[in-house]
Amino acid sequence: MQVVDNLVALRTRVKNWRQQNEIVAFVPTMGNLHDGHLSLVQKAHELADRIVVSIFVNPLQFNDKSDLTAYPRTLTDDIKLLSELDCDLVFTPSDEVMYPEGMDKQTSIHVPGMEDKLCGLGRPGHFDGVATVVTKLFNMVQPDIAVFGEKDYQQLMLIKKLVQDLNLAVDIVGAPTRRDETGLALSSRNNLLTEKQRVQAPLLHEQILLLKTSIENGIDELDVAISDAQDQLKQAGFEPEYLDVRRESDLALAQLGQDTALRILVAARLGNVRLIDNIACNLA
């Protein structure tokens, strides 16, 4: 496995693979890797001959500077984990490599329709930062396939729309959310939970599972069911940011009786830790 931090070395290696007609898959990450990230690499192995993983904590997608500062950096451990998965190349660019003229002068990519719903409402500028860095990484790596986790479902939908709108030559593959034995979605943020919060946290998944069951069994008042689920979260110590049922294909508000492929999405704070989760809900 090769670790590179500059564009010339990255492109030289990828060019050699392409000359051998090898398929290249890409997994972009911000490091602090856990089994959820590693499952994306394993998925990439099923789809391609060569695997590139990037590790870059992207300042553009943090609207809270303290959140950026607190984000854990574990590069040495991350590289060791990736070497054990037969990753071919790890790209570890600096801020200067990614934004050579500074972030204030960086061309920004805006994907419409994401800033006014769900995570977009509470994190202004976040999705522009995601779209911009992912576009740059795609242009740097030039992969055939890119693998993203479904845990951040809105981000996955944003990347799919970005690729479609800009006619980028990369296939986007969504991989299922990896969970621990309690059902809690794996996340780097889970490490910030206290022992007490770690016991409370699985309720987030439990509530959207209960809501899924209620919807699939047939309910007349969706708003009431959502409100009840939010109340349960509040009683358990969460501060819900949103809990919503959306059309899976485009995240438009779900219309029961018309839409059949739905996605239940939730974001809530437990103390200072922001957790997100989602689950598919099918009425067909």
Side-chain angles (χ1 to χ4, degrees), residues 192-202 238 270-273:
L192 302 175
L193 295 169
T194 66
E195 186 174 341
K196 178 182 178 181
Q197 290 168 341
R198 188 63 187 76
V199 174
Q200 296 169 299
F238 288 88
L270 192 55
N272 294 323
V273 184

Side-chain angles (χ1 to χ4, degrees), residues 125-144:
H126 168 72
F127 284 125
D128 287 356
V130 171
T132 300
V133 76
V134 169
T135 301
K136 288 177 70 70
L137 287 168
F138 283 171
N139 285 332
M140 291 173 165
V141 179
Q142 298 184 344
D144 300 291

Side-chain angles (χ1 to χ4, degrees), residues 82-98:
L82 291 171
S83 68
E84 294 169 355
L85 285 182
D86 294 326
C87 177
D88 295 285
L89 187 146
V90 183
F91 182 42
T92 61
S94 64
D95 290 358
E96 291 72 26
V97 168
M98 292 302 299

Side-chain angles (χ1 to χ4, degrees), residues 2-11 13 52-56 75 79 89-100 137 140:
Q2 185 177 0
V3 181
V4 303
D5 61 5
N6 66 87
L7 188 54
V8 172
L10 169 67
R11 283 186 168 166
R13 190 75 185 276
V52 178
V53 175
S54 66
I55 298 176
F56 176 64
L75 184 59
I79 289 173
L89 187 146
V90 183
F91 182 42
T92 61
S94 64
D95 290 358
E96 291 72 26
V97 168
M98 292 302 299
Y99 305 114
L137 287 168
M140 291 173 165

Side-chain angles (χ1 to χ4, degrees), residues 59-90:
L60 276 186
Q61 67 190 71
F62 286 84
N63 56 304
D64 184 341
K65 290 185 178 180
S66 63
D67 200 15
L68 172 62
T69 301
Y71 195 90
R73 275 82 165 172
T74 56
L75 184 59
T76 300
D77 291 339
D78 294 342
I79 289 173
K80 183 176 184 296
L81 286 172
L82 291 171
S83 68
E84 294 169 355
L85 285 182
D86 294 326
C87 177
D88 295 285
L89 187 146
V90 183

